Amino acid sequence: MINVGVFGASGYTGFETIKILRQHPQIKLIFATSESSAGGNMSDIYPVVWDVPLVSSKTAPLDKVEAVFCCLPHAASMPTVLRARQAGVRVIDLSADFRLTNTTTYEKWYGVPHTAPELLQEAAYGISEINRSQIRETNLLANPGCYPTSIILALYPLLKAGLLNPQQPIIADSKSGVSGAGRKASLKTHFVEVNENLSPYNIGQKHRHIAEVSDMVGRFKGNGDNIIFSPHLVPISRGMLSTIYVGLNDDQTSAQLQNRYQALYADQPFIRVLSDGQLATMAHTQNSNLCAISITVVTPRQLILCSSIDNLGKGAAGQAVQNFNIMFGIEETVGLI
Amino acid sequence: MINVGVFGASGYTGFETIKILRQHPQIKLIFATSESSAGGNMSDIYPVVWDVPLVSSKTAPLDKVEAVFCCLPHAASMPTVLRARQAGVRVIDLSADFRLTNTTTYEKWYGVPHTAPELLQEAAYGISEINRSQIRETNLLANPGCYPTSIILALYPLLKAGLLNPQQPIIADSKSGVSGAGRKASLKTHFVEVNENLSPYNIGQKHRHIAEVSDMVGRFKGNGDNIIFSPHLVPISRGMLSTIYVGLNDDQTSAQLQNRYQALYADQPFIRVLSDGQLATMAHTQNSNLCAISITVVTPRQLILCSSIDNLGKGAAGQAVQNFNIMFGIEETVGLI
Amino acid sequence: MINVGVFGASGYTGFETIKILRQHPQIKLIFATSESSAGGNMSDIYPVVWDVPLVSSKTAPLDKVEAVFCCLPHAASMPTVLRARQAGVRVIDLSADFRLTNTTTYEKWYGVPHTAPELLQEAAYGISEINRSQIRETNLLANPGCYPTSIILALYPLLKAGLLNPQQPIIADSKSGVSGAGRKASLKTHFVEVNENLSPYNIGQKHRHIAEVSDMVGRFKGNGDNIIFSPHLVPISRGMLSTIYVGLNDDQTSAQLQNRYQALYADQPFIRVLSDGQLATMAHTQNSNLCAISITVVTPRQLILCSSIDNLGKGAAGQAVQNFNIMFGIEETVGLI
Amino acid sequence: MINVGVFGASGYTGFETIKILRQHPQIKLIFATSESSAGGNMSDIYPVVWDVPLVSSKTAPLDKVEAVFCCLPHAASMPTVLRARQAGVRVIDLSADFRLTNTTTYEKWYGVPHTAPELLQEAAYGISEINRSQIRETNLLANPGCYPTSIILALYPLLKAGLLNPQQPIIADSKSGVSGAGRKASLKTHFVEVNENLSPYNIGQKHRHIAEVSDMVGRFKGNGDNIIFSPHLVPISRGMLSTIYVGLNDDQTSAQLQNRYQALYADQPFIRVLSDGQLATMAHTQNSNLCAISITVVTPRQLILCSSIDNLGKGAAGQAVQNFNIMFGIEETVGLI
């Protein structure tokens, strides 16, 4: 049994992490923090979890754990991660604070100075299926954003094969459930404003998650500057679908692409490449750590990829536990199926 | 054409009132107020309404209107109503401030002193179908609460006939859409907290609307002290259904009750008494000023009444315009069908 | 007063048409047909409409009306339209049967022979804002599909100015409420399958509505063969948003495009071009005949247009009544605001 | 490891059962049947389950399993249960076919003859918390209905203490998610008909589940003939809340009742008695096997109980697995937390 703690248990990501950890047969949850509900119990916030007391992060016993999941918002995460690392604890950080290796890029997109740049070198970006060897060794896992996870996993086989036409934009039209917007009350998340509505926001090249996608596309020699990303808020609690339009630099048949995707992802327990003619929907992955990908050939050089994840599952807490499993040499699917 | 103004246009009730008034062929909307959006336009808040500028209530030209609809919250409404009445303007007040004739009762339930008790005598409680003659003459119309409207219209034929057994509680199990909770952002109205959830609140004898129901039951010599009222929040934007359990003091058949209800409501254009075997649902009245009532005889002395209204329609703005029509001698259905 | 009839009143489009016609001050509804509910009343199907009896189309008195709205499914519509035209009645047909002028194209997409090709010449395609002069004269109005309406109105100013780059695909990622799928019970429209889900369908170049868009793009010398269209079903009853990605053949600033759109649509009462920085959402048009369009410049030659309509409003019944008003010389907004 | 099979895997209850069984560490799933999808895979129906092949019930290898979960509709269940019992396999039957011990009562409510009355004697009614000793021994577990589970668990402490006033009706106003209506496509479950609507159905004394509640109330010497039960369909996929109004034959304080409930349910891992002032909501139990109960004292002799379960969890598949655990001497919470 590995002793772990969770910082920031009261948000939706923290809650989902706790729910998975409670069922994980090789994990013992030592503490869970919430500043607003310290002294109380998870059930004060999420009634289905009855047995998890909440403490202030100040009193969290870092000396009793081998790893922590940090579910705090960006910027707030940095000092806590630093403290944990200084105590020798391995960290899975679900915020954006250690995803971008370049502090200038970080500061441009997040508008705050990076206060722990010394940790960036040891951080591993944790799309499990792509970066497994680095994840295995790291003491600081930067868990990816939900949108980037859905987009990168769909693009990866094309990137790896160098098939993307760099002259054409990668257009990702993404749809996300409302839990992705966090638990803070605001008019934007008011039931009556969201229900029966569908809203694009920060479309074009304005959303912070572009930086992560751009980074990964660049790593594989793709054109990271030519990404168009349009997130939309949909009246759904959890779920994410990215519909991605890409151009190829070589003719491909549906069968060729199917083979390529199926081969590359054959041993990945959480990636489902749908067969020809099927389309990924949110229902393919809801309440799971799965990513479902469908490939639609419009013309020999023009594709539509549909990529579905649960924004709280593979898009956050699920992938975090998958990465934890990799870091601690546990079979990857434990606690997640 | 009658010139009117609206105070408090930015809430859901204000918005609905404006939407109806824009279509009303005998009304000219002179002003609409919003403190938070003064200087702007309704479309800043509700994009489907493009042509209504918003002003501060301080600059609202009371001298240019014959009537105002006051859509402010309780307590905030009193001084504005007083100002309008002092300017000689007839008022339709959609708040609770003038619904209870007894200031002690008001202060008990609403927790604030009544600052305009001198107006209470001229106020008429506006369930249109029950109080029409008083409504016609009044200069201060107290528009009823949504829950009381749904409950009282269902009970009225029994109250009028003296058929309710005073020994048995009147149990109203009511379900309301979220717009009834107002437009203020709060965790209770956060999409993820409301969606896929259903929550009772203030059940038993704790909800303020009991006072209105109790008042009306008492007026018809019923036992106003024996009301049990259980409101529930449902993941719906607008709509209300009250399922009401009552005991009778005399045996009644379904046919007798049908006749009684049909006869009493025969000339009421907005009341639909459903035929035997049908049950009222929210869909019977959504986006309308209708009230649909079904009668289910369980035993000769035990009934279930289902009463459906739109909480923003007959439960607020719709009934307000209906009452306006009565007050100004206009045919009751104008602007409402 | 103009006497009209409605064929196919029991579907969602028929219902919406009836609701609008009931409020239209210059229309008298003479008959409404439904084969499944003939002899009954609209309220058997839609309880909020109490006063409309339903008859079989066989007994519909065509000699008593000047115009009919035909809300039947495609293929079923042709014989009824033919019958009405032979009786000298003007027709607003909401099906797809007279939208495509080429019967080969029709038969390719709809899989049935066209049984009334002799009427195609007199048919006018009814995007009101684009084809008004032809609409005014026609006796057979082919009311456009919902998706094409949202896409064409957004593209029109670019098409008219010849600004679209014919080398780049026009990519329309559209999201539609479930009423667009019709009222027939099926697993695809089962609440539990749709709720909390979001599903692409017929993406690429497979959806029938591509033919209409292609036709219109071609009419304005655009490249009608390079359209990629991805419809998605969303858990919403009514509403539609198309997010459209286009390339330009000339550099344009946001201000230039704003001016172009605002100028072209200045006198169109139902088109709202949003100001720079705003994005169209479903809430901009729900329950109305509006179309709201936002323009986002990603690069000087790459745009994102968001186009919102209500699929039952401007996407069906609303535009049908707008076209009726044009055909009969009535002010265009009558019955629609 | 215990080998089990599932009959009727394609319905919502079958799906939920399969999902739980896949995570259960002491169960090996040997077969799952579906007549409509035999030869295919669960993922054809529910994409999140990828690894469960489906067979026809005719070919299900009963000789390879110790127990089966029967998730077929009532009437269809009887012959399959009989076949399994004849093969010596223990059965957990989720249909209504073995819940009522009296065949006349069964035939009255379900309208079909009981074709396996010889099995009724060995059947145990499986509200786990109430009937554990009988469940442990049985070879045929009749898993309770969802509504009765929510109602009986709330009433049980009062029934056991003889506190219910037999003169007053037990009024259960219940609200259920749509998965309770099954997966068959119908207009009643069409998204547009359910969404933004709330509908009572079979209210009074007409719903089949009354028989189960009546039976249990009678077993504890309560007045089983005086139950009023009003189910309502709400636009939610899964969840159930019963708001129950009861009269007592003795004065009780809130503290006394709290103590009674807390004491009786102290050792029950899935029952949560909420503390004074809290109210049970659907969120208290969603996606779990929990039952949450709140007690509201209106007057010393008049209570409101709110009882929340997940209709697919404690209301069906969850309780079925809990009962399986009891039957096979496994700790009750295994696979369920």
Side-chain angles (χ1 to χ4, degrees):
Chain A
M1 297 291 277
I2 298 161
N3 289 348
V4 309
V6 174
F7 286 100
S10 63
Y12 293 130
T13 301
F15 171 45
E16 189 66 17
T17 301
I18 298 269
K19 278 204 296 181
I20 299 174
L21 297 182
R22 280 171 83 225
Q23 301 184 318
H24 194 294
Q26 299 183 40
I27 280 177
K28 187 166 173 208
L29 182 64
I30 300 298
F31 67 81
T33 79
S34 163
E35 301 318 302
S36 54
S37 301
N41 195 291
M42 269 302 267
S43 65
D44 301 342
I45 311 172
Y46 302 104
V48 291
V49 175
W50 294 86
D51 49 5
V52 176
L54 294 170
V55 300
S56 165
S57 68
K58 283 169 222 121
T59 64
L62 278 173
D63 56 329
K64 299 241 166 64
V65 298
E66 287 183 63
V68 293
F69 291 83
C70 193
C71 304
L72 298 166
H74 72 88
S77 195
M78 290 182 279
T80 301
V81 170
L82 189 58
R83 208 178 114 214
R85 287 301 305 126
Q86 285 167 348
V89 172
R90 294 176 89 181
V91 175
I92 295 97
D93 181 38
L94 286 85
S95 86
D97 285 351
F98 298 95
R99 291 178 195 158
L100 304 174
T101 44
N102 182 313
T103 55
T104 312
T105 310
Y106 177 82
E107 291 171 10
K108 176 192 145 199
W109 284 100
Y110 290 92
V112 292
H114 201 292
T115 62
E118 66 272 35
L119 294 179
L120 282 171
Q121 210 149 14
E122 68 167 335
Y125 186 70
I127 300 227
S128 322
E129 287 74 13
I130 298 182
N131 213 15
R132 200 173 272 114
S133 64
Q134 211 191 327
I135 295 167
R136 198 172 288 125
E137 308 299 331
T138 195
N139 288 320
L140 173 45
L141 188 291
N143 209 57
C146 46
Y147 287 122
T149 297
S150 73
I151 297 167
I152 293 165
L153 284 169
L155 294 179
Y156 177 51
L158 301 178
L159 286 167
K160 226 184 156 193
L163 273 170
L164 285 180
N165 177 351
Q167 311 296 312
Q168 266 184 269
I170 296 167
I171 296 175
D173 189 291
S174 297
K175 298 88 178 168
S176 171
V178 186
S179 57
R183 197 163 168 269
K184 203 168 166 320
S186 75
L187 196 54
K188 287 198 176 167
T189 56
H190 190 297
F191 182 83
V192 180
E193 307 291 314
V194 173
N195 187 39
E196 296 297 289
N197 194 7
L198 188 150
S199 312
Y201 65 100
N202 287 352
I203 67 175
Q205 299 184 329
K206 292 186 198 136
H207 192 284
R208 288 158 168 176
H209 280 176
I210 281 188
E212 286 177 57
V213 179
S214 182
D215 237 36
M216 285 300 282
V217 169
R219 244 188 252 189
F220 290 94
K221 321 252 178 270
N223 181 354
D225 296 333
N226 207 354
I227 295 161
I228 295 176
F229 170 49
S230 300
H232 298 73
L233 191 72
V234 296
I236 287 173
S237 287
R238 53 192 291 177
M240 176 167 285
L241 186 83
S242 291
T243 312
I244 309 168
Y245 303 85
V246 293
L248 303 184
N249 54 25
D250 193 20
D251 285 10
Q252 294 280 307
T253 65
S254 183
Q256 285 173 314
L257 290 162
Q258 278 283 335
N259 289 344
R260 191 178 292 285
Y261 273 72
Q262 297 282 7
L264 189 60
Y265 283 135
D267 296 329
Q268 306 299 341
F270 295 114
I271 311 291
R272 303 293 161 185
V273 180
L274 302 188
S275 49
D276 192 31
Q278 289 190 299
L279 295 176
T281 72
M282 284 195 187
H284 278 83
T285 62
Q286 231 150 16
N287 295 309
S288 83
N289 190 46
L290 296 171
C291 173
I293 300 168
S294 65
I295 308 156
T296 302
V297 176
V298 185
T299 70
R301 297 209 174 186
Q302 180 77 38
L303 307 185
I304 308 175
L305 304 165
C306 296
S307 177
S308 161
I309 61 171
D310 186 318
N311 63 303
L312 295 177
K314 184 69 178 169
Q319 185 156 255
V321 174
Q322 186 182 358
N323 285 328
F324 169 91
N325 285 345
I326 297 172
M327 287 165 71
F328 284 86
I330 300 169
E331 199 187 338
E332 224 160 290
T333 56
V334 171
L336 290 170
I337 281 186
Chain B
M1 296 291 277
I2 299 160
N3 288 348
V4 309
V6 174
F7 286 100
S10 63
Y12 293 129
T13 301
F15 171 44
E16 190 66 16
T17 302
I18 297 271
K19 278 205 295 183
I20 299 174
L21 297 183
R22 279 172 84 225
Q23 303 183 316
H24 195 294
Q26 299 183 38
I27 280 177
K28 186 164 174 209
L29 182 64
I30 300 296
F31 67 80
T33 79
S34 162
E35 300 319 302
S36 54
S37 300
N41 195 292
M42 271 301 268
S43 66
D44 302 342
I45 313 172
Y46 302 103
V48 290
V49 176
W50 295 86
D51 49 4
V52 176
L54 295 170
V55 299
S56 164
S57 69
K58 284 169 222 121
T59 64
L62 279 171
D63 56 329
K64 299 240 165 65
V65 297
E66 285 182 66
V68 292
F69 291 83
C70 192
C71 304
L72 299 167
H74 71 90
S77 194
M78 290 181 280
T80 301
V81 170
L82 189 57
R83 207 178 115 216
R85 288 302 303 128
Q86 285 168 346
V89 172
R90 295 176 89 179
V91 176
I92 295 99
D93 181 39
L94 286 85
S95 86
D97 286 351
F98 298 94
R99 292 177 195 157
L100 304 172
T101 45
N102 182 314
T103 56
T104 311
T105 310
Y106 177 82
E107 289 170 11
K108 175 191 146 201
W109 283 101
Y110 290 91
V112 292
H114 202 292
T115 62
E118 67 270 34
L119 294 180
L120 283 171
Q121 211 149 14
E122 68 168 335
Y125 186 70
I127 301 226
S128 323
E129 287 74 13
I130 298 182
N131 213 14
R132 200 172 272 117
S133 64
Q134 213 191 325
I135 294 167
R136 197 170 289 128
E137 308 299 331
T138 196
N139 288 319
L140 172 45
L141 188 290
N143 209 56
C146 46
Y147 287 122
T149 297
S150 74
I151 297 167
I152 293 165
L153 284 170
L155 294 178
Y156 177 51
L158 301 177
L159 285 167
K160 224 181 158 197
L163 274 168
L164 285 178
N165 177 351
Q167 310 296 312
Q168 267 185 268
I170 295 166
I171 297 176
D173 190 290
S174 297
K175 299 88 177 169
S176 171
V178 186
S179 57
R183 198 162 168 267
K184 204 170 164 321
S186 75
L187 196 54
K188 287 198 175 167
T189 56
H190 190 297
F191 182 83
V192 179
E193 307 292 314
V194 172
N195 187 39
E196 296 297 290
N197 194 8
L198 188 149
S199 311
Y201 65 100
N202 288 351
I203 67 175
Q205 299 184 329
K206 293 185 196 135
H207 192 285
R208 288 159 168 176
H209 281 175
I210 281 188
E212 285 176 57
V213 179
S214 183
D215 236 37
M216 284 301 281
V217 169
R219 242 186 254 188
F220 289 94
K221 321 248 177 276
N223 181 354
D225 295 333
N226 208 355
I227 295 161
I228 296 176
F229 169 49
S230 299
H232 297 73
L233 191 71
V234 296
I236 288 173
S237 288
R238 53 192 290 178
M240 175 166 285
L241 186 83
S242 292
T243 313
I244 308 167
Y245 304 85
V246 294
L248 303 185
N249 54 23
D250 192 20
D251 285 10
Q252 293 281 307
T253 65
S254 183
Q256 286 173 313
L257 290 161
Q258 278 284 335
N259 288 343
R260 191 178 293 284
Y261 274 72
Q262 298 282 9
L264 191 58
Y265 283 136
D267 297 328
Q268 307 298 341
F270 296 114
I271 311 291
R272 303 294 161 183
V273 179
L274 302 187
S275 50
D276 193 29
Q278 289 190 298
L279 294 175
T281 73
M282 283 196 189
H284 279 81
T285 62
Q286 232 150 16
N287 294 310
S288 83
N289 190 46
L290 295 171
C291 173
I293 300 167
S294 65
I295 308 156
T296 303
V297 175
V298 185
T299 70
R301 297 210 175 184
Q302 181 78 39
L303 306 187
I304 309 176
L305 304 165
C306 295
S307 176
S308 160
I309 61 170
D310 185 316
N311 62 301
L312 295 178
K314 184 69 178 170
Q319 185 155 252
V321 174
Q322 186 182 359
N323 286 328
F324 169 91
N325 285 345
I326 297 173
M327 288 165 71
F328 283 86
I330 300 168
E331 199 187 338
E332 227 162 287
T333 56
V334 171
L336 292 168
I337 280 188
Chain C
M1 296 292 277
I2 299 160
N3 288 349
V4 309
V6 174
F7 286 100
S10 64
Y12 292 130
T13 301
F15 172 43
E16 189 67 16
T17 302
I18 297 271
K19 279 205 294 182
I20 299 174
L21 297 183
R22 279 170 85 225
Q23 302 183 319
H24 195 295
Q26 300 184 38
I27 280 178
K28 187 166 173 206
L29 182 64
I30 300 297
F31 67 80
T33 79
S34 162
E35 301 319 302
S36 54
S37 300
N41 195 292
M42 271 300 269
S43 65
D44 301 342
I45 312 172
Y46 302 104
V48 291
V49 175
W50 295 86
D51 49 5
V52 176
L54 295 170
V55 299
S56 165
S57 68
K58 284 168 223 121
T59 64
L62 279 172
D63 56 329
K64 298 242 166 64
V65 297
E66 287 182 63
V68 292
F69 291 83
C70 192
C71 304
L72 298 167
H74 72 89
S77 195
M78 290 181 281
T80 303
V81 170
L82 189 58
R83 206 179 115 216
R85 287 301 305 126
Q86 285 168 344
V89 172
R90 295 176 88 179
V91 176
I92 294 99
D93 180 37
L94 287 85
S95 85
D97 285 351
F98 298 94
R99 292 179 196 157
L100 304 173
T101 44
N102 183 314
T103 56
T104 312
T105 310
Y106 177 82
E107 290 170 11
K108 175 190 147 202
W109 284 101
Y110 290 91
V112 291
H114 201 293
T115 61
E118 66 271 35
L119 293 180
L120 282 171
Q121 209 150 14
E122 68 167 335
Y125 187 69
I127 301 224
S128 323
E129 287 74 14
I130 298 182
N131 213 17
R132 201 173 272 116
S133 64
Q134 211 190 328
I135 295 167
R136 198 171 290 127
E137 308 299 331
T138 195
N139 288 321
L140 172 45
L141 189 289
N143 210 55
C146 47
Y147 287 122
T149 297
S150 74
I151 297 168
I152 293 166
L153 284 170
L155 294 178
Y156 176 51
L158 301 178
L159 285 167
K160 224 184 159 195
L163 274 169
L164 285 179
N165 178 350
Q167 310 296 312
Q168 266 184 270
I170 296 166
I171 297 176
D173 190 292
S174 297
K175 298 89 177 167
S176 171
V178 185
S179 57
R183 195 161 170 269
K184 204 168 165 319
S186 76
L187 197 54
K188 288 200 175 166
T189 56
H190 189 297
F191 183 83
V192 179
E193 307 291 314
V194 172
N195 188 38
E196 296 297 289
N197 193 8
L198 189 149
S199 312
Y201 65 100
N202 287 353
I203 67 175
Q205 299 183 328
K206 293 185 197 135
H207 192 286
R208 288 159 169 176
H209 280 175
I210 281 188
E212 285 176 57
V213 179
S214 183
D215 235 37
M216 284 302 281
V217 169
R219 243 187 253 188
F220 289 94
K221 323 251 179 268
N223 182 352
D225 296 333
N226 209 355
I227 295 161
I228 295 175
F229 169 50
S230 300
H232 297 73
L233 190 72
V234 296
I236 288 173
S237 288
R238 53 192 289 178
M240 174 165 287
L241 187 82
S242 292
T243 312
I244 308 168
Y245 303 85
V246 292
L248 304 185
N249 55 23
D250 192 21
D251 285 9
Q252 292 282 306
T253 65
S254 183
Q256 286 173 313
L257 290 161
Q258 279 284 334
N259 288 343
R260 191 177 292 285
Y261 273 71
Q262 298 282 7
L264 190 58
Y265 283 136
D267 296 329
Q268 306 299 341
F270 295 113
I271 312 290
R272 303 293 161 185
V273 179
L274 302 187
S275 50
D276 193 30
Q278 289 190 299
L279 294 175
T281 72
M282 283 195 189
H284 278 82
T285 62
Q286 231 151 16
N287 295 310
S288 82
N289 191 45
L290 295 171
C291 173
I293 300 167
S294 66
I295 309 156
T296 303
V297 175
V298 185
T299 69
R301 296 208 177 185
Q302 181 77 39
L303 306 187
I304 308 176
L305 303 165
C306 295
S307 176
S308 160
I309 61 170
D310 185 316
N311 62 302
L312 294 178
K314 183 69 178 170
Q319 186 156 253
V321 174
Q322 186 182 356
N323 286 328
F324 169 90
N325 286 345
I326 297 173
M327 288 165 71
F328 284 85
I330 300 168
E331 198 186 338
E332 226 162 288
T333 56
V334 170
L336 291 168
I337 282 189
Chain D
M1 297 291 277
I2 300 160
N3 288 349
V4 309
V6 173
F7 286 100
S10 63
Y12 293 129
T13 301
F15 171 44
E16 189 67 16
T17 301
I18 298 270
K19 279 204 296 182
I20 299 174
L21 297 182
R22 280 171 82 226
Q23 303 184 317
H24 194 295
Q26 300 183 38
I27 280 178
K28 188 166 172 207
L29 182 63
I30 301 297
F31 67 80
T33 79
S34 162
E35 300 319 301
S36 53
S37 302
N41 195 291
M42 271 301 267
S43 65
D44 302 342
I45 311 172
Y46 302 104
V48 291
V49 176
W50 295 86
D51 49 5
V52 176
L54 294 171
V55 300
S56 164
S57 68
K58 285 168 222 122
T59 65
L62 278 172
D63 56 329
K64 300 240 166 63
V65 298
E66 286 183 65
V68 292
F69 291 83
C70 193
C71 304
L72 298 166
H74 72 89
S77 195
M78 290 182 280
T80 301
V81 170
L82 188 59
R83 208 179 113 215
R85 287 303 303 127
Q86 285 168 346
V89 173
R90 295 176 88 181
V91 176
I92 295 98
D93 180 38
L94 287 86
S95 85
D97 285 351
F98 300 93
R99 292 179 194 156
L100 304 173
T101 45
N102 183 312
T103 55
T104 313
T105 311
Y106 177 82
E107 291 170 10
K108 176 191 145 200
W109 284 101
Y110 291 92
V112 291
H114 202 293
T115 62
E118 66 272 34
L119 294 180
L120 282 171
Q121 210 150 15
E122 69 168 334
Y125 187 69
I127 301 227
S128 323
E129 288 73 13
I130 298 181
N131 213 14
R132 201 173 271 114
S133 63
Q134 213 192 326
I135 294 167
R136 198 171 289 127
E137 308 299 331
T138 197
N139 288 321
L140 173 45
L141 189 291
N143 210 56
C146 47
Y147 287 122
T149 297
S150 73
I151 296 167
I152 292 166
L153 285 169
L155 294 178
Y156 177 50
L158 301 178
L159 285 167
K160 224 182 158 195
L163 273 169
L164 285 180
N165 178 351
Q167 310 297 311
Q168 267 184 268
I170 296 168
I171 297 175
D173 190 290
S174 297
K175 297 89 177 171
S176 171
V178 185
S179 58
R183 196 162 169 269
K184 203 169 164 325
S186 75
L187 196 54
K188 287 199 175 167
T189 57
H190 189 297
F191 182 83
V192 179
E193 306 292 314
V194 172
N195 186 41
E196 296 297 290
N197 193 7
L198 189 150
S199 313
Y201 65 100
N202 287 352
I203 67 176
Q205 299 185 328
K206 292 185 198 137
H207 192 284
R208 289 158 168 176
H209 280 175
I210 281 187
E212 286 176 57
V213 179
S214 182
D215 236 36
M216 285 300 282
V217 169
R219 245 187 252 189
F220 290 95
K221 322 252 177 271
N223 181 354
D225 296 333
N226 208 353
I227 295 161
I228 295 175
F229 170 49
S230 300
H232 297 73
L233 191 72
V234 295
I236 287 173
S237 288
R238 52 192 290 177
M240 177 167 283
L241 186 83
S242 291
T243 312
I244 308 168
Y245 303 85
V246 293
L248 304 184
N249 54 25
D250 193 20
D251 285 9
Q252 293 282 306
T253 65
S254 183
Q256 285 172 315
L257 290 162
Q258 278 284 335
N259 289 343
R260 191 178 293 282
Y261 274 72
Q262 298 281 6
L264 190 59
Y265 283 135
D267 297 328
Q268 306 299 341
F270 295 114
I271 311 290
R272 305 293 160 185
V273 179
L274 301 189
S275 49
D276 192 29
Q278 290 189 298
L279 294 176
T281 72
M282 283 195 188
H284 278 83
T285 62
Q286 231 150 17
N287 295 309
S288 83
N289 190 45
L290 296 171
C291 173
I293 299 167
S294 66
I295 308 156
T296 303
V297 176
V298 185
T299 70
R301 298 209 174 185
Q302 181 77 39
L303 306 186
I304 308 175
L305 304 164
C306 296
S307 177
S308 160
I309 61 171
D310 186 317
N311 62 302
L312 295 177
K314 184 69 178 168
Q319 186 154 255
V321 174
Q322 186 182 358
N323 286 328
F324 169 91
N325 286 346
I326 297 172
M327 288 165 71
F328 284 84
I330 300 168
E331 198 186 337
E332 224 161 291
T333 56
V334 171
L336 290 169
I337 279 187

